Amino acid sequence: MSAANQTTLTASQLARQHWLGVLAKAPAEQLQQQWAALDLTPDYQLIRPPEIGLTMVRARVGGSGQPFNMAEMTITRCAIRLTSGTLGVSYVAGRDKCKALTVALADALLQEDTDQQLQQQLVAPLEASLQAAAEARAADASQTKVDFFTLVRGEDE
């Protein structure tokens, strides 16, 4: 968001952004296992069936320069409505229609989860797994770290 159109987000909007990010980044197999363990079968209507498409990935030179179109990537999106009327959406990287549907269902149910049970049983374990994987990657990368040093010449000025 640019500074000109930046808006203040509510706590519920920030929470939703967080769980959608965790669910979208979670490995599909692990997400499906966690979902199956919950044994949830909500009644829903497909608003937008899972569909595969492309999106443009934008980048900036040096992280702060002018933006440019770097590449395209495939995404799968889905939107559902529970019988209660709550709308769930998902955008996930790749071509996994099942994952997109599961994330949309979880999004809708998490919006209705007043006692935080689904948050604790689905999102928290996936988030812990993502964090552990990130720490493992960081540990692997740190093994290749090279410390450079410079010798100072003893020249008199």
Side-chain angles (χ1 to χ4, degrees), residues 86-105:
T86 304
L87 185 68
V89 298
S90 69
Y91 285 84
V92 297
R95 305 172 57 88
D96 194 337
K97 291 182 177 183
C98 186
K99 180 179 178 181
L101 178 60
T102 303
V103 171
L105 286 167

PDB file of all heavy atoms in Angstrom, residues 86-105:
ATOM      1  N   THR A  86     -21.516 -16.246   5.665  1.00  0.00           N
ATOM      2  CA  THR A  86     -20.119 -15.807   5.738  1.00  0.00           C
ATOM      3  C   THR A  86     -19.381 -16.197   4.463  1.00  0.00           C
ATOM      4  O   THR A  86     -19.453 -17.330   4.013  1.00  0.00           O
ATOM      5  CB  THR A  86     -19.414 -16.435   6.958  1.00  0.00           C
ATOM      6  OG1 THR A  86     -20.155 -16.114   8.130  1.00  0.00           O
ATOM      7  CG2 THR A  86     -17.997 -15.916   7.091  1.00  0.00           C
ATOM      8  N   LEU A  87     -18.657 -15.231   3.904  1.00  0.00           N
ATOM      9  CA  LEU A  87     -17.918 -15.433   2.665  1.00  0.00           C
ATOM     10  C   LEU A  87     -16.476 -15.786   2.984  1.00  0.00           C
ATOM     11  O   LEU A  87     -15.827 -15.124   3.802  1.00  0.00           O
ATOM     12  CB  LEU A  87     -17.958 -14.162   1.816  1.00  0.00           C
ATOM     13  CG  LEU A  87     -17.338 -14.236   0.431  1.00  0.00           C
ATOM     14  CD1 LEU A  87     -18.157 -15.147  -0.468  1.00  0.00           C
ATOM     15  CD2 LEU A  87     -17.260 -12.849  -0.176  1.00  0.00           C
ATOM     16  N   GLY A  88     -15.955 -16.828   2.357  1.00  0.00           N
ATOM     17  CA  GLY A  88     -14.558 -17.220   2.498  1.00  0.00           C
ATOM     18  C   GLY A  88     -13.879 -17.166   1.153  1.00  0.00           C
ATOM     19  O   GLY A  88     -14.462 -17.548   0.138  1.00  0.00           O
ATOM     20  N   VAL A  89     -12.651 -16.664   1.130  1.00  0.00           N
ATOM     21  CA  VAL A  89     -11.906 -16.524  -0.120  1.00  0.00           C
ATOM     22  C   VAL A  89     -10.513 -17.122   0.028  1.00  0.00           C
ATOM     23  O   VAL A  89     -10.020 -17.289   1.144  1.00  0.00           O
ATOM     24  CB  VAL A  89     -11.780 -15.045  -0.562  1.00  0.00           C
ATOM     25  CG1 VAL A  89     -13.142 -14.438  -0.823  1.00  0.00           C
ATOM     26  CG2 VAL A  89     -11.021 -14.246   0.476  1.00  0.00           C
ATOM     27  N   SER A  90      -9.882 -17.396  -1.106  1.00  0.00           N
ATOM     28  CA  SER A  90      -8.494 -17.851  -1.084  1.00  0.00           C
ATOM     29  C   SER A  90      -7.823 -17.518  -2.398  1.00  0.00           C
ATOM     30  O   SER A  90      -8.455 -17.500  -3.455  1.00  0.00           O
ATOM     31  CB  SER A  90      -8.415 -19.355  -0.837  1.00  0.00           C
ATOM     32  OG  SER A  90      -8.909 -20.062  -1.953  1.00  0.00           O
ATOM     33  N   TYR A  91      -6.537 -17.223  -2.281  1.00  0.00           N
ATOM     34  CA  TYR A  91      -5.617 -17.089  -3.409  1.00  0.00           C
ATOM     35  C   TYR A  91      -4.368 -17.844  -2.990  1.00  0.00           C
ATOM     36  O   TYR A  91      -3.716 -17.457  -2.018  1.00  0.00           O
ATOM     37  CB  TYR A  91      -5.268 -15.626  -3.691  1.00  0.00           C
ATOM     38  CG  TYR A  91      -6.367 -14.850  -4.362  1.00  0.00           C
ATOM     39  CD1 TYR A  91      -7.397 -14.283  -3.618  1.00  0.00           C
ATOM     40  CD2 TYR A  91      -6.374 -14.674  -5.738  1.00  0.00           C
ATOM     41  CE1 TYR A  91      -8.409 -13.578  -4.232  1.00  0.00           C
ATOM     42  CE2 TYR A  91      -7.392 -13.956  -6.359  1.00  0.00           C
ATOM     43  CZ  TYR A  91      -8.394 -13.415  -5.599  1.00  0.00           C
ATOM     44  OH  TYR A  91      -9.391 -12.713  -6.214  1.00  0.00           O
ATOM     45  N   VAL A  92      -4.044 -18.921  -3.685  1.00  0.00           N
ATOM     46  CA  VAL A  92      -2.865 -19.715  -3.328  1.00  0.00           C
ATOM     47  C   VAL A  92      -1.960 -19.851  -4.543  1.00  0.00           C
ATOM     48  O   VAL A  92      -2.428 -19.924  -5.684  1.00  0.00           O
ATOM     49  CB  VAL A  92      -3.248 -21.109  -2.778  1.00  0.00           C
ATOM     50  CG1 VAL A  92      -4.048 -20.978  -1.494  1.00  0.00           C
ATOM     51  CG2 VAL A  92      -4.009 -21.932  -3.783  1.00  0.00           C
ATOM     52  N   ALA A  93      -0.668 -19.889  -4.286  1.00  0.00           N
ATOM     53  CA  ALA A  93       0.310 -20.053  -5.360  1.00  0.00           C
ATOM     54  C   ALA A  93       0.205 -21.467  -5.917  1.00  0.00           C
ATOM     55  O   ALA A  93      -0.007 -22.428  -5.184  1.00  0.00           O
ATOM     56  CB  ALA A  93       1.712 -19.796  -4.836  1.00  0.00           C
ATOM     57  N   GLY A  94       0.320 -21.571  -7.227  1.00  0.00           N
ATOM     58  CA  GLY A  94       0.310 -22.879  -7.872  1.00  0.00           C
ATOM     59  C   GLY A  94      -1.035 -23.250  -8.457  1.00  0.00           C
ATOM     60  O   GLY A  94      -1.916 -22.414  -8.619  1.00  0.00           O
ATOM     61  N   ARG A  95      -1.184 -24.541  -8.733  1.00  0.00           N
ATOM     62  CA  ARG A  95      -2.351 -25.049  -9.455  1.00  0.00           C
ATOM     63  C   ARG A  95      -3.125 -26.070  -8.618  1.00  0.00           C
ATOM     64  O   ARG A  95      -3.577 -27.062  -9.135  1.00  0.00           O
ATOM     65  CB  ARG A  95      -1.889 -25.677 -10.765  1.00  0.00           C
ATOM     66  CG  ARG A  95      -1.056 -24.758 -11.630  1.00  0.00           C
ATOM     67  CD  ARG A  95      -0.450 -25.478 -12.828  1.00  0.00           C
ATOM     68  NE  ARG A  95      -1.439 -26.117 -13.656  1.00  0.00           N
ATOM     69  CZ  ARG A  95      -2.081 -25.527 -14.671  1.00  0.00           C
ATOM     70  NH1 ARG A  95      -1.813 -24.285 -14.972  1.00  0.00           N
ATOM     71  NH2 ARG A  95      -2.960 -26.191 -15.375  1.00  0.00           N
ATOM     72  N   ASP A  96      -3.290 -25.818  -7.332  1.00  0.00           N
ATOM     73  CA  ASP A  96      -3.923 -26.781  -6.434  1.00  0.00           C
ATOM     74  C   ASP A  96      -5.352 -26.335  -6.092  1.00  0.00           C
ATOM     75  O   ASP A  96      -5.570 -25.538  -5.181  1.00  0.00           O
ATOM     76  CB  ASP A  96      -3.085 -26.931  -5.168  1.00  0.00           C
ATOM     77  CG  ASP A  96      -3.487 -28.134  -4.339  1.00  0.00           C
ATOM     78  OD1 ASP A  96      -4.633 -28.601  -4.476  1.00  0.00           O
ATOM     79  OD2 ASP A  96      -2.651 -28.591  -3.553  1.00  0.00           O
ATOM     80  N   LYS A  97      -6.320 -26.878  -6.826  1.00  0.00           N
ATOM     81  CA  LYS A  97      -7.718 -26.500  -6.608  1.00  0.00           C
ATOM     82  C   LYS A  97      -8.233 -26.967  -5.251  1.00  0.00           C
ATOM     83  O   LYS A  97      -9.015 -26.272  -4.600  1.00  0.00           O
ATOM     84  CB  LYS A  97      -8.598 -27.063  -7.726  1.00  0.00           C
ATOM     85  CG  LYS A  97      -8.358 -26.411  -9.066  1.00  0.00           C
ATOM     86  CD  LYS A  97      -9.290 -26.967 -10.123  1.00  0.00           C
ATOM     87  CE  LYS A  97      -9.098 -26.268 -11.453  1.00  0.00           C
ATOM     88  NZ  LYS A  97     -10.049 -26.748 -12.467  1.00  0.00           N
ATOM     89  N   CYS A  98      -7.799 -28.135  -4.806  1.00  0.00           N
ATOM     90  CA  CYS A  98      -8.233 -28.669  -3.513  1.00  0.00           C
ATOM     91  C   CYS A  98      -7.749 -27.769  -2.371  1.00  0.00           C
ATOM     92  O   CYS A  98      -8.492 -27.474  -1.435  1.00  0.00           O
ATOM     93  CB  CYS A  98      -7.723 -30.091  -3.347  1.00  0.00           C
ATOM     94  SG  CYS A  98      -8.327 -30.911  -1.875  1.00  0.00           S
ATOM     95  N   LYS A  99      -6.503 -27.333  -2.452  1.00  0.00           N
ATOM     96  CA  LYS A  99      -5.959 -26.431  -1.424  1.00  0.00           C
ATOM     97  C   LYS A  99      -6.716 -25.115  -1.418  1.00  0.00           C
ATOM     98  O   LYS A  99      -7.045 -24.590  -0.351  1.00  0.00           O
ATOM     99  CB  LYS A  99      -4.468 -26.195  -1.655  1.00  0.00           C
ATOM    100  CG  LYS A  99      -3.848 -25.261  -0.620  1.00  0.00           C
ATOM    101  CD  LYS A  99      -2.366 -25.051  -0.842  1.00  0.00           C
ATOM    102  CE  LYS A  99      -1.807 -24.087   0.187  1.00  0.00           C
ATOM    103  NZ  LYS A  99      -0.370 -23.840  -0.011  1.00  0.00           N
ATOM    104  N   ALA A 100      -7.018 -24.574  -2.587  1.00  0.00           N
ATOM    105  CA  ALA A 100      -7.742 -23.305  -2.666  1.00  0.00           C
ATOM    106  C   ALA A 100      -9.120 -23.420  -2.018  1.00  0.00           C
ATOM    107  O   ALA A 100      -9.548 -22.533  -1.281  1.00  0.00           O
ATOM    108  CB  ALA A 100      -7.870 -22.846  -4.117  1.00  0.00           C
ATOM    109  N   LEU A 101      -9.812 -24.524  -2.265  1.00  0.00           N
ATOM    110  CA  LEU A 101     -11.124 -24.736  -1.660  1.00  0.00           C
ATOM    111  C   LEU A 101     -11.009 -24.879  -0.148  1.00  0.00           C
ATOM    112  O   LEU A 101     -11.791 -24.292   0.609  1.00  0.00           O
ATOM    113  CB  LEU A 101     -11.801 -25.967  -2.266  1.00  0.00           C
ATOM    114  CG  LEU A 101     -13.168 -26.330  -1.701  1.00  0.00           C
ATOM    115  CD1 LEU A 101     -14.169 -25.187  -1.896  1.00  0.00           C
ATOM    116  CD2 LEU A 101     -13.693 -27.603  -2.327  1.00  0.00           C
ATOM    117  N   THR A 102     -10.021 -25.620   0.311  1.00  0.00           N
ATOM    118  CA  THR A 102      -9.826 -25.811   1.754  1.00  0.00           C
ATOM    119  C   THR A 102      -9.517 -24.491   2.443  1.00  0.00           C
ATOM    120  O   THR A 102     -10.058 -24.197   3.511  1.00  0.00           O
ATOM    121  CB  THR A 102      -8.699 -26.832   2.017  1.00  0.00           C
ATOM    122  OG1 THR A 102      -9.025 -28.055   1.364  1.00  0.00           O
ATOM    123  CG2 THR A 102      -8.517 -27.081   3.494  1.00  0.00           C
ATOM    124  N   VAL A 103      -8.662 -23.670   1.840  1.00  0.00           N
ATOM    125  CA  VAL A 103      -8.325 -22.375   2.437  1.00  0.00           C
ATOM    126  C   VAL A 103      -9.553 -21.474   2.483  1.00  0.00           C
ATOM    127  O   VAL A 103      -9.792 -20.784   3.483  1.00  0.00           O
ATOM    128  CB  VAL A 103      -7.152 -21.703   1.684  1.00  0.00           C
ATOM    129  CG1 VAL A 103      -6.938 -20.265   2.162  1.00  0.00           C
ATOM    130  CG2 VAL A 103      -5.874 -22.510   1.852  1.00  0.00           C
ATOM    131  N   ALA A 104     -10.371 -21.478   1.438  1.00  0.00           N
ATOM    132  CA  ALA A 104     -11.587 -20.659   1.433  1.00  0.00           C
ATOM    133  C   ALA A 104     -12.562 -21.122   2.514  1.00  0.00           C
ATOM    134  O   ALA A 104     -13.162 -20.293   3.216  1.00  0.00           O
ATOM    135  CB  ALA A 104     -12.251 -20.708   0.055  1.00  0.00           C
ATOM    136  N   LEU A 105     -12.727 -22.428   2.671  1.00  0.00           N
ATOM    137  CA  LEU A 105     -13.595 -22.950   3.738  1.00  0.00           C
ATOM    138  C   LEU A 105     -13.056 -22.577   5.114  1.00  0.00           C
ATOM    139  O   LEU A 105     -13.808 -22.135   5.995  1.00  0.00           O
ATOM    140  CB  LEU A 105     -13.716 -24.474   3.622  1.00  0.00           C
ATOM    141  CG  LEU A 105     -14.594 -24.999   2.500  1.00  0.00           C
ATOM    142  CD1 LEU A 105     -14.375 -26.498   2.312  1.00  0.00           C
ATOM    143  CD2 LEU A 105     -16.055 -24.698   2.786  1.00  0.00           C
TER     144      LEU A 105
END
